[in-house]
Amino acid sequence: MTAANSSRRRGLMLVLSSPSGAGKSTLSRMLLGDDADIDLSVSATTRPARSGEIDGKDYYFVSQDRFTDMVDSDELLEYATVFSNRYGTPRKPVEDALEAGKDVLFDIDWQGTQQLSQSQMKGDLVRVFILPPSIGELESRLRTRAKDPEDVVQARMSEAMTEISHWAEYDYVLVNDDLDETYNKLVNILAVERAKTVRQVDLVAFVRALEDEHKAL
Ligand code: 5GP
């Protein structure tokens, strides 16, 4: 064994949560575009597709009955109701990716993160929470983005405050004041987490090979 093949590792689960409007989707897109070793976990949802969203890429858009089936047959790693729609993470693609040493990015809320934190997969989790620089900024991002009626904006603001109240349940918290700076921090977190001893599954064999090489000198 050489240093070149000592780097096999178990994949990690990078969870990004934030109130909507804090820049999470932009950060996810940047990361997925730049890093071939991480794939997005595509969630199932009962909410209707928004314009431009593609079934199987942004979400699996499913009926209430299909969602209930997925829950009953244990096909979901976690699930939650957000804005009165149901969302859940299909289990199989995540397990396959981790086994293959691929990392998986999750854009899920605090409820889903709590469930993953209590699951057998908790050792694979890296939880990152994105905070907006201010509530004023969050509100203006929500208003310009969706052009929703006032009551919808207010409901989203109230959801956002609930989401924010869970910041302490995450391993890292980033205040997204400057997008590029926040992105760099996210990339650094991923690099450090990938290097952790527990994720490098071949280390025992690699160090034995180093010892053998030493003995043979
Ligand atoms: P949206 O409908 O705007 O795409 O997403 C609404 C919220 O649902 C976001 O906070 C998003 O992170 C969360 N969400 C999306 N997919 C999942 C999922 O599979 N599980 C959980 N728990 N939350 C999700």
Side-chain angles (χ1 to χ4, degrees), residues 151-163:
D151 57 333
V152 174
V153 173
Q154 288 315 320
R156 285 193 169 257
M157 282 304 292
S158 145
E159 283 280 347
M161 296 317 292
T162 304
E163 187 78 27

Side-chain angles (χ1 to χ4, degrees), residues 16-20 24-25 41-45 47-48 50 53 58-59 61 67 76 78-83 85-90 106-116 145 156 159 163:
L16 277 191
S17 296
S18 78
S20 54
K24 176 180 55 174
S25 316
S41 160
V42 179
S43 297
T45 183
R47 93 152 155 69
R50 297 188 186 123
E53 283 184 332
D58 298 290
Y59 281 106
F61 296 99
F67 197 96
L76 300 178
E78 61 75 33
Y79 55 93
T81 300
V82 186
F83 296 130
N85 296 307
R86 302 179 83 190
Y87 297 83
T89 301
F106 297 80
D107 173 343
I108 62 174
D109 79 334
W110 64 271
Q111 304 175 78
T113 309
Q114 274 189 355
Q115 290 168 52
L116 295 182
R145 195 176 65 167
R156 285 193 169 257
E159 283 280 347
E163 187 78 27

Side-chain angles (χ1 to χ4, degrees), residues 1-9 200-203 205-207:
M1 178 177 285
T2 66
N5 63 9
S6 70
S7 59
R8 199 167 66 94
R9 61 179 181 83
Q200 300 191 52
V201 293
D202 282 341
L203 277 183
F206 180 68
V207 174

Side-chain angles (χ1 to χ4, degrees), residues 61-138:
F61 296 99
V62 300
S63 65
Q64 293 285 351
D65 284 351
R66 173 67 188 122
F67 197 96
T68 303
D69 278 350
M70 291 172 106
V71 172
D72 290 347
S73 55
D74 204 24
E75 283 173 59
L76 300 178
L77 271 181
E78 61 75 33
Y79 55 93
T81 300
V82 186
F83 296 130
S84 61
N85 296 307
R86 302 179 83 190
Y87 297 83
T89 301
R91 175 189 301 279
K92 180 90 173 55
V94 176
E95 289 178 348
D96 291 350
L98 294 181
E99 276 302 315
K102 266 227 150 187
D103 299 323
V104 185
L105 176 67
F106 297 80
D107 173 343
I108 62 174
D109 79 334
W110 64 271
Q111 304 175 78
T113 309
Q114 274 189 355
Q115 290 168 52
L116 295 182
S117 303
Q118 285 166 9
S119 74
Q120 284 179 343
M121 300 167 107
K122 58 174 178 275
D124 298 321
L125 267 191
V126 178
R127 299 162 300 185
V128 180
F129 197 88
I130 315 288
L131 280 175
S134 70
I135 295 302
E137 178 73 16
L138 183 74

